[in-house]
PDB file of all heavy atoms in Angstrom:
ATOM      1  N   GLU A 312      -9.880 -91.164  15.579  1.00 86.00           N
ATOM      2  CA  GLU A 312     -11.252 -91.560  15.323  1.00 86.00           C
ATOM      3  C   GLU A 312     -11.721 -91.108  13.951  1.00 86.00           C
ATOM      4  O   GLU A 312     -12.251 -91.881  13.173  1.00 86.00           O
ATOM      5  CB  GLU A 312     -12.144 -90.974  16.429  1.00 86.00           C
ATOM      6  CG  GLU A 312     -13.478 -91.680  16.527  1.00 86.00           C
ATOM      7  CD  GLU A 312     -14.391 -90.995  17.540  1.00 86.00           C
ATOM      8  OE1 GLU A 312     -13.903 -90.538  18.599  1.00 86.00           O
ATOM      9  OE2 GLU A 312     -15.592 -90.878  17.237  1.00 86.00           O
ATOM     10  N   SER A 313     -11.454 -89.803  13.678  1.00 86.00           N
ATOM     11  CA  SER A 313     -11.909 -89.258  12.388  1.00 86.00           C
ATOM     12  C   SER A 313     -11.184 -89.950  11.239  1.00 86.00           C
ATOM     13  O   SER A 313     -11.765 -90.207  10.191  1.00 86.00           O
ATOM     14  CB  SER A 313     -11.701 -87.754  12.339  1.00 86.00           C
ATOM     15  OG  SER A 313     -10.316 -87.445  12.395  1.00 86.00           O
ATOM     16  N   SER A 314      -9.906 -90.307  11.468  1.00 86.00           N
ATOM     17  CA  SER A 314      -9.139 -90.946  10.403  1.00 86.00           C
ATOM     18  C   SER A 314      -9.703 -92.339  10.117  1.00 86.00           C
ATOM     19  O   SER A 314      -9.817 -92.737   8.961  1.00 86.00           O
ATOM     20  CB  SER A 314      -7.664 -91.064  10.814  1.00 86.00           C
ATOM     21  OG  SER A 314      -7.137 -89.782  11.045  1.00 86.00           O
ATOM     22  N   THR A 315     -10.042 -93.049  11.192  1.00 86.00           N
ATOM     23  CA  THR A 315     -10.595 -94.388  11.019  1.00 86.00           C
ATOM     24  C   THR A 315     -11.927 -94.331  10.278  1.00 86.00           C
ATOM     25  O   THR A 315     -12.157 -95.075   9.313  1.00 86.00           O
ATOM     26  CB  THR A 315     -10.799 -95.057  12.398  1.00 86.00           C
ATOM     27  OG1 THR A 315      -9.594 -94.936  13.113  1.00 86.00           O
ATOM     28  CG2 THR A 315     -11.197 -96.512  12.259  1.00 86.00           C
ATOM     29  N   SER A 316     -12.792 -93.405  10.694  1.00 85.00           N
ATOM     30  CA  SER A 316     -14.094 -93.319  10.036  1.00 85.00           C
ATOM     31  C   SER A 316     -13.942 -92.886   8.590  1.00 85.00           C
ATOM     32  O   SER A 316     -14.695 -93.328   7.723  1.00 85.00           O
ATOM     33  CB  SER A 316     -15.028 -92.387  10.812  1.00 85.00           C
ATOM     34  OG  SER A 316     -14.564 -91.066  10.749  1.00 85.00           O
ATOM     35  N   ALA A 317     -12.924 -92.064   8.311  1.00 85.00           N
ATOM     36  CA  ALA A 317     -12.681 -91.632   6.925  1.00 85.00           C
ATOM     37  C   ALA A 317     -12.292 -92.833   6.084  1.00 85.00           C
ATOM     38  O   ALA A 317     -12.763 -92.993   4.958  1.00 85.00           O
ATOM     39  CB  ALA A 317     -11.589 -90.559   6.888  1.00 85.00           C
ATOM     40  N   SER A 318     -11.469 -93.703   6.667  1.00 84.00           N
ATOM     41  CA  SER A 318     -11.010 -94.860   5.894  1.00 84.00           C
ATOM     42  C   SER A 318     -12.179 -95.806   5.601  1.00 84.00           C
ATOM     43  O   SER A 318     -12.246 -96.395   4.535  1.00 84.00           O
ATOM     44  CB  SER A 318      -9.891 -95.593   6.650  1.00 84.00           C
ATOM     45  OG  SER A 318     -10.409 -96.176   7.832  1.00 84.00           O
ATOM     46  N   ILE A 319     -13.101 -95.867   6.565  1.00 85.00           N
ATOM     47  CA  ILE A 319     -14.282 -96.706   6.352  1.00 85.00           C
ATOM     48  C   ILE A 319     -15.119 -96.135   5.217  1.00 85.00           C
ATOM     49  O   ILE A 319     -15.563 -96.853   4.318  1.00 85.00           O
ATOM     50  CB  ILE A 319     -15.112 -96.831   7.652  1.00 85.00           C
ATOM     51  CG1 ILE A 319     -14.279 -97.602   8.695  1.00 85.00           C
ATOM     52  CG2 ILE A 319     -16.453 -97.521   7.408  1.00 85.00           C
ATOM     53  CD1 ILE A 319     -14.814 -97.487  10.118  1.00 85.00           C
ATOM     54  N   ASN A 320     -15.290 -94.832   5.245  1.00 84.00           N
ATOM     55  CA  ASN A 320     -16.038 -94.161   4.174  1.00 84.00           C
ATOM     56  C   ASN A 320     -15.424 -94.456   2.811  1.00 84.00           C
ATOM     57  O   ASN A 320     -16.128 -94.741   1.839  1.00 84.00           O
ATOM     58  CB  ASN A 320     -16.088 -92.658   4.389  1.00 84.00           C
ATOM     59  CG  ASN A 320     -17.078 -92.278   5.478  1.00 84.00           C
ATOM     60  OD1 ASN A 320     -17.965 -93.073   5.798  1.00 84.00           O
ATOM     61  ND2 ASN A 320     -16.908 -91.103   6.040  1.00 84.00           N
ATOM     62  N   ILE A 321     -14.123 -94.327   2.764  1.00 84.00           N
ATOM     63  CA  ILE A 321     -13.432 -94.509   1.488  1.00 84.00           C
ATOM     64  C   ILE A 321     -13.626 -95.930   0.997  1.00 84.00           C
ATOM     65  O   ILE A 321     -13.917 -96.179  -0.161  1.00 84.00           O
ATOM     66  CB  ILE A 321     -11.919 -94.173   1.648  1.00 84.00           C
ATOM     67  CG1 ILE A 321     -11.761 -92.671   1.961  1.00 84.00           C
ATOM     68  CG2 ILE A 321     -11.141 -94.518   0.375  1.00 84.00           C
ATOM     69  CD1 ILE A 321     -10.415 -92.309   2.537  1.00 84.00           C
ATOM     70  N   LYS A 322     -13.520 -96.852   1.945  1.00 83.00           N
ATOM     71  CA  LYS A 322     -13.671 -98.248   1.606  1.00 83.00           C
ATOM     72  C   LYS A 322     -15.068 -98.512   1.057  1.00 83.00           C
ATOM     73  O   LYS A 322     -15.289 -99.345   0.187  1.00 83.00           O
ATOM     74  CB  LYS A 322     -13.441 -99.109   2.872  1.00 83.00           C
ATOM     75  CG  LYS A 322     -12.839-100.445   2.581  1.00 83.00           C
ATOM     76  CD  LYS A 322     -12.459-101.112   3.909  1.00 83.00           C
ATOM     77  CE  LYS A 322     -12.072-102.557   3.701  1.00 83.00           C
ATOM     78  NZ  LYS A 322     -11.753-103.177   5.016  1.00 83.00           N
ATOM     79  N   ASN A 323     -16.026 -97.773   1.562  1.00 83.00           N
ATOM     80  CA  ASN A 323     -17.403 -97.931   1.105  1.00 83.00           C
ATOM     81  C   ASN A 323     -17.684 -97.185  -0.195  1.00 83.00           C
ATOM     82  O   ASN A 323     -18.830 -96.978  -0.559  1.00 83.00           O
ATOM     83  CB  ASN A 323     -18.376 -97.474   2.178  1.00 83.00           C
ATOM     84  CG  ASN A 323     -18.344 -98.395   3.385  1.00 83.00           C
ATOM     85  OD1 ASN A 323     -18.003 -99.591   3.235  1.00 83.00           O
ATOM     86  ND2 ASN A 323     -18.674 -97.892   4.536  1.00 83.00           N
ATOM     87  N   GLY A 324     -16.646 -96.700  -0.812  1.00 76.00           N
ATOM     88  CA  GLY A 324     -16.806 -96.096  -2.150  1.00 76.00           C
ATOM     89  C   GLY A 324     -17.027 -94.607  -2.134  1.00 76.00           C
ATOM     90  O   GLY A 324     -17.277 -93.984  -3.164  1.00 76.00           O
ATOM     91  N   ILE A 325     -16.931 -93.965  -0.988  1.00 75.00           N
ATOM     92  CA  ILE A 325     -17.061 -92.508  -0.964  1.00 75.00           C
ATOM     93  C   ILE A 325     -15.645 -91.921  -1.053  1.00 75.00           C
ATOM     94  O   ILE A 325     -14.864 -91.976  -0.111  1.00 75.00           O
ATOM     95  CB  ILE A 325     -17.767 -92.040   0.320  1.00 75.00           C
ATOM     96  CG1 ILE A 325     -19.144 -92.701   0.415  1.00 75.00           C
ATOM     97  CG2 ILE A 325     -17.891 -90.506   0.343  1.00 75.00           C
ATOM     98  CD1 ILE A 325     -19.768 -92.616   1.784  1.00 75.00           C
ATOM     99  N   GLY A 326     -15.351 -91.478  -2.244  1.00 66.00           N
ATOM    100  CA  GLY A 326     -14.016 -90.891  -2.479  1.00 66.00           C
ATOM    101  C   GLY A 326     -13.809 -89.687  -1.576  1.00 66.00           C
ATOM    102  O   GLY A 326     -14.735 -88.942  -1.285  1.00 66.00           O
TER     103      GLY A 326
END
Side-chain angles (χ1 to χ4, degrees):
Chain A
E312 199 185 322
S313 64
S314 300
T315 309
S316 67
S318 67
I319 294 165
N320 284 340
I321 294 163
K322 212 171 170 182
N323 292 333
I325 302 165

